[in-house]
Amino acid sequence: MSSPHTATNDKPAPSPVFSQLKSSCVPLLANTQLSPSSIPLVSRLLSEVIATLSDAALSDGGLAPNLVHYVFIPISTIIRRNPSSSIPDQVLEKLLIVLRILLEVWWWTIDLQTWEQIYMLCGSIVIGLGDKGKGRGRDDETREVAVQCLLKLLRGPSTDEGSKQDPRREANTARLALHARSRQFFPIFGQTLTSVMETSLTTTVSLQRACLQALRAMIEDYAPPYFIPSILPGVVSTMVKAALGTSTRKGWSNGEIVAEALGVMQVVVVGAIGDDVCVEEGAIRRVDDLEDLLELSTSAPVAGGSSEDIPYATKRTESWLRASSSQLHISMNSLSSLPSHPTPSALLALCNFSYKVLSATTLTLPQTQPLLLSYLLSLSNSPFPSVSQGASSHLTELLLPGTKTHHPLMQTLSGMTSDYLSSLPRLISIQSEAKVEHTAGLIEAICRLCSRDSSGEERNPSISTRLQKLTGPMGGIEKWGWVLLSVLEFGEPEFSTADFSVAQILDAEYAGPVDVPFPELTLKNVTSRSTSNSLVRMLRALGQATGEGCVFAIEWFIGVGRKSKKHDSIAALWCATRLLEGAGGVSLDSSSGGIVRKRNKRIEKLARSVAKSISELWDEPKEDEVTQSTPETQSQALVDVVDENTIIEHKFGLLTVRAPGTSDYSQEKRSKPRSQPYLHGVLSIQLLSISSGILQARFSSLFLRVLYPILHSIVSANIHLSSTALAGLKYVTNSTSYASPANLLLANFDYALDAISRRLSRRWLDLDATKVLLLLVRLIGKDVVEKAGDVVEECFDRLDEYHGYQVLVEGLVEVLAEVVRIVGEDESSRVDRTNENPPPGPEPPTDDERFEDFFVWLEHRNDVPALEEDTTDYGPAPRKAWGKDPSESDQVGEEPPNQDKGDPAPTPTQSLTKQIVSRSIYFLTHPSPLIRARILTLLTNSVPVLPASAVLPSIHQAWPFVLNRFSDKEGWVVSAAAGLVESLSVNVGSFMQRRVWDDVWPKFRMLLDKLEAGDKSSALARRGFEGGIGTESAYTHSHRLYRSILRTVITGTQKVRTEDATLFEVTLLFRRFLGKGVHEELQKYARELYIGVAKQNADAVWLVLEGTVGGIRGGGPRTKWLEEKWDVRENVALVLGSIGG
């Protein structure tokens, strides 16, 4: 260890970096002459130098300038002493890497001679000068390093993207560029530029990226302005090839390559044909005010500066501008496939390219403006948020009022919109769905430019004004509108996504409305769903952009749609629907929340007018859904095609020949159905729904007009129309702030009932009105009890008027039955029958009691009977002479009997039900079996509601007719009659005590025989069980009939003492219901029946059941006939066990 004195006298110790570089550079300098033996050593030493320089560059102190010169000496010596062909690719690659690292520090102060030598070295490698062997060049890795070194030589140290401009960097770049433009060096510069441009078409992505970056630096920072027009055609052509990936098999280039290629193309286009440079050289004139316009018309063109004495220069003239702009437009048009590139980087690059070229070439490239605008519009629809937001912001900046691009681009956008709308019908007709979707997306993007911001103000009202001209009275809608309608033809969907049917709604067990989305309509000539959605979004955006300016277009479309129900009218209603959605700021799509828009009185007035005019369509007479095909009707159909609105085109010469697979709509239109009322109704319901969304609570004043069309459509037989109407009812409910459709209909019940009543008048009769009334009752549910009086009064008024019309009677009776059913489901309406039914009689005596009475009689059988007082109860007999007691003659105002005091006054619901029952029993003899069955069901539902004093007189009067219904041929009528008898037995058993066995049981006995014979031939009957009876399902008429018979007989055995012969017959007939193969519900009722019979005659039950299973010992032939091969042992054991047998 040295002493302090010695340390102070020594020189400063060298830095560690220098020591490391010295250990590598000294032997490297000693081996500058390359030979096969020294090449491995030189390669290893160069690797050490690269590692040391990389570590030093990453350290805090960085690389010292003196070390740069120290390292450069051996590197330059190797390059100078060895021919280029003798330096291996690996060694040359490492040499260039060392130079690139040194330039990170050296670029700021490098002398021009050294900079020129390094430039020539890199350029020679890219060009291929001095390559080894004939036809063999450097490998791609070496050329890539050379291009990267060249880029570092041109741009200097790398900087962060988006950093501020450095004046020092700009000054040094200008110093180097001035040297590159000198007469001696510029040819080398041009040759290098050409070589780099040619190399940029390589298939190696990293080399291609480096070449494109270097090419942009050479053109942007070093190429003089007069030189850029000379290289414009070559650079643009090469960059288009690079961006489209013509040398690759994928069909397009990598996203980064596309971005770099478009960046180079943008620099060369703006530099060569930009507005500023062309105005400066006199190729075009700028007109900013009236003086410029006057000077333009009076003075001759001003010649630009002379460039004839400048080599490699191209003069910008008017003729050159016309030729160059035309060729440039063709090249840019070839980039039309780039908007569909899968990577966001390529799309962002195309977005920036279009924006900057549009900003800089407003005057020089007017014919290219629509193309570049279409790129930006298409990119604004991109699924990538960064791309769509960037394109939208660029479009907003270009169209900002006060900028130089505002007026020319506004005019261009207006023309583009008109052209796109005119081209859509042609694209739809040839079924070019990709182009249809693209064109519709462009129109949507244009409309989106004038959308409202968060404050509700339009972002670009000038665009909205121009679009309003297109949809206004002077926009030529009669031209483009009719052409569009001629190709939009809708068809009914082949399947429905709704999980309900109209039958479910009209079913008695319907629980309430379900959430149903609006079904989508399908275009016959558009198969892709995305294409159809793009057309929908386009029209919505057009309506949103124009606002109240599209009122004329909506009214025109609705006027066309009201004229007929053919395909063009349906298309007109569809267009009006989508436009009204956008203009009103609402959407029928439940997944979208609608558009925020301020209240517009003109739009609300339009919505109110639309609701009134559309609802009037249900007042018109219905068209026949099917037209007979006769020669007269066919000729009339051909005449109808050419009406007053059809444009007639006269053709001369050859006929048009269409390619296979395309369709001729002028011919197809004649062979398709003339009328599509269901689709017409679907779109009409959608228009009513949209109107409710616009008016919201103010839509309530239109319920008198619109409720009937919606309810009438729900009961339609067409599932698409009914689902649309149900979705519309739900939408109207939400729009008008009602909690549910039931609340809406209940609150506006008078409106709905009035509309139905008007459709049941002789002047205006609609056969579906009864279905609508039934639907109204069913949708409201139990709350309809409050309004039931109005419904019943309306039904009976119409029954009195139309009692001879079977269809109307069936519908009205069904409504009455529904009212009674709803009343019966209300627990508060049911009658407490604890006081009505008498207490059950005494239990039958047991065997012991009977034997005891027998022995007493046997003992005293010969005794003389004594005179005893007659204590027999003869019932309610008079206790005194007939007539009035004189002592009571002076009493005035007798009180009612005691039994009348116990009957409470009937409730309004009971009075209403009694009225329905008393006026409905006459229909039990109606010729229609359906009406008879519904009346029986009505009576069945009314029994639990009405007290015995109210219901029994009507039942007693109609009893013969009820019994006759058991003889009807229709099984469902018989089932309804059995259900009525069952309900009577359960609720008013005292009334049915003797009627069950005297009147009903003979009918039941014959029914059981018929049902047993019918089960043998029924496909629904149970199979695989010996003695099986009934069906698998519990919802068949036979099962319901069996159940009603069992429950009625059970009630009969419990309420009244039955004759032994009848009981024995019952025990024999119902044995089969104890079988294991019978439905579980019927088995349960059968066990209950036998237990009830056993209370009256347990011996008979024991005898029959034990005899059936062969359990009687010693019975012999006397009980053999009772045995059956039915599997009833399990249920027999349960019954005998419960009765103690």
Side-chain angles (χ1 to χ4, degrees):
M1 185 175 180
S2 60
S3 63
H5 178 74
T6 306
T8 52
N9 294 332
D10 293 343
K11 296 181 180 180
S15 65
V17 177
F18 175 77
S19 301
Q20 295 177 6
L21 290 176
K22 182 179 179 180
S23 63
S24 301
C25 291
V26 170
L28 187 62
L29 187 61
N31 293 276
T32 54
Q33 184 67 43
L34 297 179
S35 63
S37 58
S38 62
I39 287 177
L41 176 62
V42 171
S43 178
R44 180 177 60 80
L45 294 174
L46 286 175
S47 299
E48 294 177 358
V49 172
I50 292 172
T52 304
L53 291 176
S54 300
D55 295 340
L58 295 176
S59 62
D60 296 337
L63 192 62
N66 56 350
L67 295 179
V68 173
H69 295 280
Y70 181 78
V71 175
F72 181 70
I73 292 174
I75 300 300
S76 60
T77 304
I78 293 175
I79 296 173
R80 186 172 56 253
R81 293 188 61 182
N82 297 279
S84 176
S85 58
S86 63
I87 302 178
D89 291 344
Q90 185 179 8
V91 175
L92 183 59
E93 182 179 344
K94 293 180 180 180
L95 291 172
L96 293 172
I97 293 175
V98 172
L99 290 176
R100 187 183 65 190
I101 298 175
L102 296 179
L103 285 173
E104 288 284 346
V105 178
W106 196 13
W107 183 81
W108 303 98
T109 59
I110 189 172
D111 60 285
L112 296 179
Q113 183 179 2
T114 306
W115 182 88
E116 180 179 334
Q117 294 298 321
I118 298 177
Y119 184 96
M120 293 172 62
L121 171 65
C122 297
S124 64
I125 296 174
V126 177
I127 296 172
L129 299 178
D131 287 342
K132 301 180 293 181
K134 296 182 179 180
R136 183 183 181 277
R138 297 287 182 179
D139 55 17
D140 289 346
E141 290 77 8
T142 306
R143 291 196 295 171
E144 179 184 349
V145 175
V147 175
Q148 291 176 352
C149 184
L150 178 63
L151 178 61
K152 190 66 66 176
L153 194 66
L154 295 172
R155 285 282 174 88
S158 57
T159 56
D160 296 334
E161 186 177 356
S163 59
K164 296 182 179 179
Q165 294 183 353
D166 187 1
R168 183 186 172 199
R169 176 184 294 273
E170 294 180 357
N172 192 49
T173 301
R175 176 179 69 91
L176 299 176
L178 182 62
H179 177 71
R181 297 171 186 175
S182 62
R183 291 182 177 270
Q184 294 80 13
F185 187 75
F186 193 72
I188 300 175
F189 174 82
Q191 182 64 30
T192 307
L193 187 146
T194 303
S195 299
V196 172
M197 183 172 61
E198 293 175 352
T199 309
S200 64
L201 296 179
T202 181
T203 57
T204 305
V205 176
S206 56
L207 174 59
Q208 189 177 20
R209 184 190 307 111
C211 289
L212 292 173
Q213 293 174 353
L215 186 61
R216 177 168 184 172
M218 296 172 73
I219 297 175
E220 189 173 20
D221 298 332
Y222 290 86
Y226 60 81
F227 179 66
I228 297 180
S230 302
I231 62 174
L232 174 66
V235 173
V236 169
S237 176
T238 305
M239 293 304 103
V240 169
K241 294 178 181 178
L244 298 179
T246 55
S247 58
T248 62
R249 297 180 180 179
K250 295 188 298 182
W252 48 48
S253 297
N254 184 277
E256 297 181 3
I257 300 302
V258 174
E260 296 294 342
L262 291 178
V264 175
M265 192 173 176
Q266 167 223 317
V267 169
V268 73
V269 169
V270 174
I273 204 169
D275 290 344
D276 296 336
V277 67
C278 288
V279 169
E280 182 181 353
E281 296 193 10
I284 197 171
R285 294 194 179 188
R286 190 189 304 273
V287 179
D288 295 329
D289 49 27
L290 292 178
E291 294 182 359
D292 295 339
L293 183 61
L294 180 61
E295 182 181 356
L296 179 64
S297 60
T298 57
S299 61
V302 179
S306 176
S307 60
E308 295 179 357
D309 54 343
I310 302 177
Y312 313 110
T314 298
K315 181 178 176 59
R316 296 179 176 88
T317 62
E318 293 183 1
S319 58
W320 172 87
L321 180 60
R322 287 193 299 270
S324 299
S325 61
S326 177
Q327 295 297 322
L328 192 59
H329 177 77
I330 296 173
S331 298
M332 290 186 181
N333 193 30
S334 61
L335 299 175
S336 58
S337 61
L338 284 184
S340 59
H341 200 280
T343 58
S345 57
L347 300 179
L348 281 173
L350 180 61
C351 178
N352 296 327
F353 168 78
S354 302
Y355 165 70
K356 292 183 178 179
V357 173
L358 276 173
S359 303
T361 60
T362 307
L363 302 176
T364 55
L365 296 177
Q367 72 274 28
T368 313
Q369 289 176 0
L371 178 64
L372 296 177
L373 277 176
S374 68
Y375 290 160
L376 285 175
L377 293 171
S378 179
L379 293 174
S380 66
N381 295 325
S382 174
F384 300 107
S386 58
V387 178
S388 59
Q389 294 173 5
S392 299
S393 62
H394 287 332
L395 285 168
T396 303
E397 293 177 13
L398 289 171
L399 298 172
L400 196 65
T403 58
K404 66 177 183 179
T405 58
H406 173 71
H407 290 291
L409 294 186
M410 285 300 304
Q411 189 68 26
T412 303
L413 272 181
S414 179
M416 290 170 61
T417 307
S418 180
D419 294 341
Y420 290 154
L421 277 176
S422 301
S423 63
L424 263 181
R426 179 182 58 84
L427 297 176
I428 295 175
S429 64
I430 63 176
Q431 298 182 352
S432 180
E433 298 192 5
K435 293 183 179 179
V436 170
E437 186 173 353
H438 175 71
T439 305
L442 294 179
I443 299 177
E444 179 189 0
I446 293 174
C447 297
R448 202 186 302 120
L449 293 175
C450 52
S451 60
R452 297 177 182 270
D453 53 18
S454 57
S455 62
E457 298 294 333
E458 291 185 354
R459 297 178 179 176
N460 203 324
S462 56
I463 299 179
S464 178
T465 303
R466 292 179 180 269
L467 292 176
Q468 287 176 0
K469 294 180 180 179
L470 188 63
T471 57
M474 305 302 293
I477 191 173
E478 293 83 1
K479 180 180 178 181
W480 62 266
W482 274 113
V483 178
L484 181 62
L485 297 182
S486 65
V487 297
L488 291 177
E489 188 166 359
F490 292 87
E492 295 184 11
E494 298 180 357
F495 59 91
S496 174
T497 58
D499 56 353
F500 79 102
S501 64
V502 181
Q504 292 176 352
I505 299 178
L506 299 180
D507 185 57
E509 298 179 357
Y510 176 65
V514 294
D515 290 334
V516 180
F518 284 91
E520 297 181 0
L521 297 181
T522 57
L523 280 166
K524 289 186 177 181
N525 42 8
V526 175
T527 59
S528 173
R529 184 176 182 181
S530 61
T531 305
S532 301
N533 292 339
S534 66
L535 292 174
V536 172
R537 294 194 305 269
M538 177 197 73
L539 290 175
R540 284 178 182 170
L542 188 60
Q544 179 190 0
T546 54
E548 63 181 28
C550 69
V551 170
F552 178 82
I554 295 174
E555 291 177 344
W556 185 86
F557 280 123
I558 291 179
V560 175
R562 282 177 52 88
K563 289 184 179 180
S564 67
K565 296 182 180 179
K566 300 177 184 178
H567 76 92
D568 52 352
S569 298
I570 294 172
L573 288 183
W574 181 79
C575 293
T577 304
R578 306 285 82 84
L579 286 173
L580 187 60
E581 277 184 313
V586 298
S587 175
L588 297 181
D589 186 6
S590 59
S591 61
S592 60
I595 308 165
V596 179
R597 180 179 289 277
K598 291 183 178 180
R599 182 177 175 183
N600 191 309
K601 292 185 178 180
R602 190 177 179 188
I603 296 297
E604 292 181 358
K605 182 179 179 181
L606 172 66
R608 192 173 288 105
S609 173
V610 168
K612 292 179 180 179
S613 61
I614 292 299
S615 60
E616 291 174 357
L617 293 174
W618 275 263
D619 301 339
E620 299 174 357
K622 297 181 180 179
E623 296 181 5
D624 293 334
E625 297 179 5
V626 180
T627 304
Q628 297 295 332
S629 178
T630 61
E632 292 77 6
T633 57
Q634 291 179 0
S635 61
Q636 182 62 32
L638 295 177
V639 173
D640 291 341
V641 173
V642 185
D643 54 9
E644 67 276 8
N645 297 318
T646 304
I647 300 176
I648 300 176
E649 180 182 4
H650 300 279
K651 293 184 178 181
F652 297 93
L654 299 177
L655 296 176
T656 303
V657 178
R658 293 184 176 269
T662 60
S663 56
D664 186 359
Y665 289 94
S666 62
Q667 297 297 329
E668 287 187 5
K669 183 164 55 177
R670 301 181 181 180
S671 61
K672 292 183 178 178
R674 295 176 55 198
S675 179
Q676 294 174 303
Y678 291 133
L679 292 180
H680 198 272
V682 165
L683 291 167
S684 300
I685 294 297
Q686 290 187 8
L687 280 171
L688 294 177
S689 304
I690 295 171
S691 300
S692 69
I694 296 173
L695 295 174
Q696 296 183 353
R698 296 175 294 278
F699 190 72
S700 301
S701 60
L702 298 171
F703 280 155
L704 181 61
R705 296 175 178 268
V706 302
L707 280 181
Y708 185 82
I710 295 176
L711 296 176
H712 183 274
S713 300
I714 293 179
V715 300
S716 171
N718 185 275
I719 183 63
H720 308 292
L721 178 56
S722 61
S723 58
T724 301
L726 191 59
L729 179 61
K730 187 69 174 178
Y731 191 90
V732 172
T733 301
N734 296 335
S735 300
T736 51
S737 302
Y738 282 95
S740 66
N743 291 347
L744 182 148
L745 295 174
L746 183 62
N748 300 275
F749 186 83
D750 294 338
Y751 287 160
L753 187 61
D754 179 71
I756 296 171
S757 177
R758 285 188 287 113
R759 267 75 176 187
L760 286 174
S761 61
R762 290 188 178 273
R763 183 183 65 87
W764 193 3
L765 182 60
D766 186 359
L767 296 180
D768 293 332
T770 56
K771 295 181 180 179
V772 176
L773 182 57
L774 175 64
L775 176 69
L776 177 65
V777 173
R778 190 151 294 161
L779 287 177
I780 295 177
K782 63 180 181 179
D783 295 331
V784 80
V785 175
E786 304 173 6
K787 307 288 185 178
D790 298 334
V791 177
V792 172
E793 182 180 357
E794 179 67 25
C795 288
F796 282 117
D797 288 345
R798 301 311 171 195
L799 282 173
D800 294 340
E801 191 172 0
Y802 301 111
H803 59 273
Y805 297 91
Q806 180 175 333
V807 176
L808 291 175
V809 173
E810 288 178 359
L812 294 170
V813 168
E814 187 176 8
V815 174
L816 293 174
E818 179 66 18
V819 172
V820 175
R821 184 189 68 83
I822 294 176
V823 171
E825 290 179 352
D826 190 3
E827 295 295 335
S828 61
S829 301
R830 293 183 177 269
V831 179
D832 185 8
R833 301 189 182 276
T834 55
N835 298 325
E836 290 185 357
N837 295 324
E843 293 290 334
T846 61
D847 292 341
D848 294 339
E849 294 175 348
R850 291 177 179 178
F851 277 111
E852 183 178 354
D853 293 341
F854 172 74
F855 289 132
V856 171
W857 171 83
L858 183 63
E859 182 180 356
H860 298 283
R861 67 183 185 279
N862 296 323
D863 294 349
V864 178
L867 296 176
E868 297 179 359
E869 184 181 357
D870 189 4
T871 59
T872 305
D873 185 9
Y874 294 99
R879 303 301 181 186
K880 53 188 176 181
W882 296 99
K884 194 171 183 180
D885 190 352
S887 62
E888 299 177 358
S889 60
D890 296 333
Q891 296 180 3
V892 180
E894 296 182 356
E895 293 183 359
N898 292 334
Q899 60 269 23
D900 294 339
K901 291 182 180 180
D903 294 337
T907 63
T909 303
Q910 292 175 348
S911 300
L912 180 65
T913 309
K914 180 180 179 181
Q915 179 188 4
I916 295 174
V917 171
S918 62
R919 299 184 64 176
S920 300
I921 58 176
Y922 303 103
F923 291 97
L924 283 173
T925 58
H926 197 277
S928 172
L930 179 61
I931 295 177
R932 297 198 298 268
R934 285 176 177 169
I935 293 298
L936 290 170
T937 305
L938 183 151
L939 296 175
T940 303
N941 294 328
S942 66
V943 171
V945 178
L946 294 176
S949 60
V951 70
L952 292 184
S954 299
I955 296 297
H956 177 73
Q957 180 182 359
W959 185 249
F961 309 130
V962 175
L963 294 178
N964 289 338
R965 299 287 69 79
F966 286 102
S967 302
D968 286 358
K969 298 179 180 180
E970 295 79 10
W972 35 278
V973 178
V974 177
S975 177
L980 174 60
V981 172
E982 173 192 348
S983 180
L984 290 170
S985 301
V986 173
N987 292 279
V988 285
S990 59
F991 174 77
M992 295 295 294
Q993 284 180 357
R994 299 310 314 170
R995 295 175 187 263
V996 169
W997 301 112
D998 296 344
D999 300 336
V1000 179
W1001 172 243
K1003 303 287 185 180
F1004 281 176
R1005 187 168 55 240
M1006 291 186 295
L1007 281 176
L1008 289 173
D1009 295 337
K1010 291 181 180 180
L1011 289 173
E1012 182 179 0
D1015 287 342
K1016 296 179 180 179
S1017 59
S1018 175
L1020 300 177
R1022 287 176 173 259
R1023 298 288 187 265
F1025 297 96
E1026 185 67 29
I1029 192 171
T1031 58
E1032 297 283 350
S1033 174
Y1035 300 98
T1036 59
H1037 291 296
S1038 63
H1039 179 91
R1040 293 177 179 178
L1041 194 54
Y1042 280 134
R1043 181 179 58 195
S1044 298
I1045 293 174
L1046 283 169
R1047 294 192 62 182
T1048 304
V1049 175
I1050 289 172
T1051 306
T1053 57
Q1054 293 175 351
K1055 301 294 183 181
V1056 65
R1057 178 74 180 179
T1058 312
E1059 297 179 359
D1060 290 339
T1062 304
L1063 284 179
F1064 191 74
E1065 186 179 15
V1066 168
T1067 56
L1068 288 176
L1069 287 178
F1070 289 97
R1071 290 180 297 168
R1072 297 183 61 180
F1073 292 96
L1074 294 174
K1076 190 176 181 180
V1078 182
H1079 196 278
E1080 290 77 6
E1081 184 182 14
L1082 299 182
Q1083 292 185 49
K1084 182 188 72 172
Y1085 286 128
R1087 291 193 298 268
E1088 185 178 350
L1089 170 63
Y1090 279 98
I1091 294 173
V1093 173
K1095 293 180 180 180
Q1096 298 192 30
N1097 195 337
D1099 294 337
V1101 173
W1102 178 87
L1103 176 64
V1104 171
L1105 295 184
E1106 286 289 354
T1108 302
V1109 298
I1112 301 178
R1113 298 179 180 178
R1118 292 173 296 178
T1119 59
K1120 188 67 175 179
W1121 62 277
L1122 292 173
E1123 294 184 12
E1124 296 288 350
K1125 296 180 180 180
W1126 302 331
D1127 189 5
V1128 297
R1129 292 184 177 276
E1130 184 176 347
N1131 285 316
V1132 166
L1134 292 174
V1135 172
L1136 295 180
S1138 62
I1139 65 176

